[in-house]
Amino acid sequence: MDSIGGRLKAAREARKLTLSQVTKETNISQIYIEALENEDFDKFPSETYATGFLRNYAEFLKLDAEEIIQSYKGFK
């Protein structure tokens, strides 16, 4: 299976979206979008923030958010 970040980035690039477009549409800071795509989960203030942003970003990209969250929990 692809990595969590790889799946997010591939989905964003397939939709031809830039990081700034995603930031504008989701109201998630670009720093956190990049952290999600790079799987740098230590950048988040807490796990709650990481899972919340992960869910919102996955839903925005029309990915299965529950599957992504489960992958994240397995990753941790």
Side-chain angles (χ1 to χ4, degrees):
M1 181 190 329
D2 291 336
S3 68
I4 297 165
R7 290 165 56 193
L8 295 170
K9 186 173 183 176
R12 176 179 58 79
E13 290 174 344
R15 295 167 132 333
K16 298 186 182 345
L17 295 168
T18 65
L19 290 171
S20 6
Q21 287 172 314
V22 172
T23 296
K24 193 175 193 179
E25 294 287 324
T26 63
N27 291 319
I28 300 172
S29 170
Q30 185 167 328
I31 293 167
Y32 293 133
I33 297 293
E34 289 173 345
L36 291 173
E37 289 187 358
N38 294 324
E39 296 183 13
D40 190 2
F41 300 115
D42 293 333
K43 290 218 187 242
F44 297 93
S46 71
E47 190 168 333
T48 303
Y49 279 91
T51 55
F53 287 151
L54 196 54
R55 179 181 308 282
N56 289 343
Y57 191 28
E59 288 173 354
F60 172 75
L61 294 172
K62 308 224 183 304
L63 297 173
D64 184 345
E66 285 307 313
E67 182 183 325
I68 298 281
I69 296 296
Q70 290 307 314
S71 295
Y72 168 74
K73 287 180 179 178
F75 178 84
K76 287 305 257 184

